[in-house]
Structures are given as structure tokens and as C-alpha cells.
Amino acid sequence: MSELPSAFICFNDRLAGGAIEAIHEKGLKIPEDLSLVGYDNAEICNFLNPKLSSVETYVPSIADHAIEALYYQMISKRLSPAKILIPVEYVERESVRRIEDVIL
């Protein structure tokens, strides 16, 4: 790429760990050159260098909604698409440059 984006958001924290390694191999610095965010807020986030910012998901809530949707489809005998919003929480660590640091 001739020009890097300012940030990458990874599918999960494990892949973000691999991205950190690849970014370092290219001689780039996180968060100075680009920000990186994972997804799942796994324990590994605290052991990466830099510590990885991530999105915390609430698995019990996801499971409750999935069971509820499955139950509804079983009793109604209809397969209908559903849009379910699950709350998440952004956990900021060292892998993201703050916007105040970017604005001149």
C-alpha cells in the first residue's frame, strides 16, 4: 500500500496479535504509525506489546438471545431473519493513538 490507513480493526484478538507482529516486522510502530483494535477482549490483550485495545463482548447475552430466537422459530414454525443488538464495551489500552494526539 502506498498510504496506510490510520487504524486497523481485527476480526479477533488472536488475529490482532499476528497483525502486531507483522506490523513490527515492517518497521512500523503501534500506535505512532497506526492504531490497532481487536475483538473479544481476550486475556492475551494484556500480554501483547503494545497492550491491545479491544471490544468486549458479553457471551452470556449473545447465548440468551440466540436461544430466544431459536425457541421463537421452533414454536412459530417459521424461519424469519432477526436483527439482534448486543451491547459491547470498548476497552482502550496502548494500541490506539488518542485523537487529541493526532489533531495539530
Side-chain angles (χ1 to χ4, degrees):
M1 298 173 76
S2 61
E3 192 173 317
L4 284 174
S6 61
F8 285 101
I9 301 174
C10 297
F11 178 74
N12 61 36
D13 297 331
R14 187 171 173 210
L15 290 175
I20 288 174
E21 187 176 322
I23 290 165
H24 286 161
E25 286 176 4
K26 293 291 184 187
L28 299 170
K29 294 180 182 174
I30 302 168
E32 293 85 351
D33 296 321
L34 58 98
S35 295
L36 189 69
V37 176
Y39 193 88
D40 292 331
N41 196 33
E43 191 64 29
I44 192 174
C45 294
N46 293 305
F47 299 104
L48 296 170
N49 185 20
K51 292 180 181 174
L52 181 65
S53 298
S54 187
V55 176
E56 172 80 42
T57 57
Y58 297 98
V59 175
S61 179
I62 294 170
D64 288 346
H65 285 291
I67 290 167
E68 187 177 293
L70 181 61
Y71 177 74
Y72 173 77
Q73 289 186 0
M74 287 171 48
I75 62 169
S76 69
K77 300 196 185 318
R78 289 188 342 216
L79 294 177
S80 57
K83 184 180 211 177
I84 301 170
L85 301 176
I86 305 292
V88 297
E89 180 182 348
Y90 172 64
V91 180
E92 187 174 329
R93 295 189 181 88
E94 301 167 352
S95 66
V96 173
R97 184 167 45 163
R98 301 193 56 82
I99 193 69
E100 300 88 40
D101 298 336
V102 178
I103 298 173
L104 299 175

